[in-house]
Amino acid sequence: MKLVGFFNRDGGTFRTTDMQAYEKRAEEVFREAGHDFEAIVFSGNEIVPAMERAARRDDIDGIVAGGGDGTISAAASIAWKNGVALGVVPAGTMNLFARSLKVPLDIWQALDVLAFGEVDNIDIASANGRPFIHQFSAGLHARMVRYRNSYSYRSRLGKMGASTRAAFGVVFNPPEFEVEFEAAGMKETRRVSAISVSNNPFGENALLYADNLRSGELGFYTAKPLKPLGVARLAIDMLRGRFRENDAVMVLHPAEVHLHFPKLRAKANCVMDGELLPLERDVTVKLHPGELKVLVKQGLAAQEGERERREPAA
């Protein structure tokens, strides 16, 4: 394959990495695997336009993106729109998409897995046409991100500390709002404290990422209006990977969700793949099954396919 690597020097792990050495090693590994490969290091504000320009080229088969979840989400959107493959080097704080793809979280090991891997087709989702690989959310999560963004931090630990402070802030000031939704044959109006729609259902893990990105289903989750104690209980259940057992949570697995917010505040926000955005009054979330091409470990696609065949039988 003809591939171009884009590494965000401002992203998480890369901040403390010798990027000249990493760029050289990436080119060695991919060329050893038989690819035509060029690696380029960019700053955070340069990398997305550079990926967009490369993906539009007729001679490119794929892009390899290294950085945090924001960089990876942008890379996935670009790869999907241009029909090229995406390789993910997890250099961020959470690396949720890389975890779903089962890419090693060590940035050096990830190079070997991607270079000697294979192309698989997985699902990607969109909200009002804007693609996302992890989740669209409103309510508790959006308020926490807004609080976190109001704090200053310069490091990975600083970001984690800001997130912790923001989480405590939300516990003592949970939102409550009205939503009309249509999903999986249901049409209903509810008052809620949180809404989340994920690209494939979340697995049973504390970080809330999908174990399987080829199920052909969204994860649609709402939480009833919560008081501080209820938010704390939900947070504990989430850390245990048991949030589905919480009495306040409703879970559906549709392929499409329509949301309407009848009393939308002027400054209401949502979060898409970690980015805080204005919330629109009407939102349609769709799954696009098998439309994103990704590089994964050799043999992983066959293993996942075998597991999916066994699950219905079980």
Side-chain angles (χ1 to χ4, degrees):
M1 300 175 70
K2 185 172 179 60
L3 304 168
V4 181
F6 298 88
F7 302 135
N8 183 356
R9 67 164 64 93
D10 300 326
T13 310
F14 283 155
R15 292 181 183 178
T16 56
T17 300
D18 182 340
M19 292 308 297
Q20 186 174 356
Y22 191 80
E23 180 181 346
K24 181 180 178 182
R25 178 58 183 161
E27 291 181 344
E28 290 174 350
V29 171
F30 275 89
R31 288 171 184 173
E32 181 184 344
H35 302 290
D36 181 342
F37 184 83
E38 177 188 8
I40 314 172
V41 177
F42 290 90
S43 62
N45 60 351
E46 298 172 328
I47 193 166
V48 173
M51 289 190 294
E52 288 175 336
R53 289 192 298 270
R56 289 194 295 265
R57 288 166 47 183
D58 294 335
D59 62 336
I60 292 294
D61 298 309
I63 57 176
V64 176
D69 286 326
T71 298
I72 301 306
S73 177
S77 173
I78 293 166
W80 177 56
K81 290 176 180 177
N82 290 277
V84 299
L86 171 67
V88 175
V89 175
T93 304
M94 307 300 287
N95 301 310
L96 299 172
F97 192 53
R99 293 174 190 270
S100 293
L101 294 176
K102 298 174 177 60
V103 175
L105 300 184
D106 181 281
I107 59 174
W108 301 90
Q109 293 178 15
L111 293 175
D112 290 284
V113 168
L114 297 175
F116 292 92
E118 62 187 2
V119 176
D120 190 16
N121 294 305
I122 63 167
D123 306 338
I124 188 170
S126 66
N128 285 355
R130 177 171 176 148
F132 64 91
I133 52 176
H134 181 51
Q135 71 168 330
F136 163 92
S137 60
L140 289 172
H141 187 207
R143 180 164 293 185
M144 190 186 79
V145 173
R146 180 164 61 84
Y147 285 174
R148 186 193 68 197
N149 290 353
S150 68
Y151 304 136
S152 298
Y153 55 87
R154 294 185 178 181
S155 65
R156 183 175 180 175
L157 288 177
K159 183 177 181 180
M160 293 172 68
S163 297
T164 301
R165 290 175 61 192
F168 276 107
V170 172
V171 166
F172 292 105
N173 186 27
E176 183 178 330
F177 56 98
E178 190 171 289
V179 62
E180 299 171 8
F181 70 84
E182 187 173 353
M186 291 178 60
K187 191 172 184 179
E188 196 172 312
T189 300
R190 289 191 174 203
R191 290 199 65 80
V192 298
S193 281
I195 287 175
S196 179
V197 187
S198 60
N199 174 27
N200 283 253
F202 292 137
E204 294 184 5
N205 54 74
L207 295 179
L208 299 184
Y209 61 87
D211 289 334
N212 174 20
L213 290 171
R214 300 191 303 170
S215 74
E217 298 176 328
L218 296 167
F220 178 42
Y221 312 95
T222 67
K224 295 177 182 178
L226 298 171
K227 300 299 182 183
L229 184 58
V231 178
R233 286 173 175 165
L234 178 58
I236 291 171
D237 287 340
M238 290 168 66
L239 290 172
R240 296 169 58 230
R242 301 285 184 86
F243 72 92
R244 292 174 182 81
E245 300 173 12
N246 190 290
D247 293 338
V249 175
M250 180 199 74
V251 181
L252 294 173
H253 293 161
E256 189 169 321
V257 177
H258 300 275
L259 303 172
H260 174 69
F261 303 94
K263 300 176 182 179
L264 187 69
R265 293 183 296 106
K267 296 184 178 180
N269 297 118
C270 66
V271 174
M272 288 182 63
D273 285 351
E275 183 179 359
L276 194 67
L277 300 167
L279 178 61
E280 298 181 57
R281 187 174 298 276
D282 293 280
V283 181
T284 296
V285 184
K286 296 181 179 181
L287 192 76
H288 306 276
E291 291 192 13
L292 179 62
K293 295 187 287 187
V294 291
L295 292 173
V296 296
K297 183 178 180 181
Q298 186 72 36
L300 181 63
Q303 293 174 14
E304 291 293 315
E306 180 62 27
R307 183 177 64 82
E308 291 169 11
R309 285 191 293 272
R310 288 199 305 267
E311 284 179 350

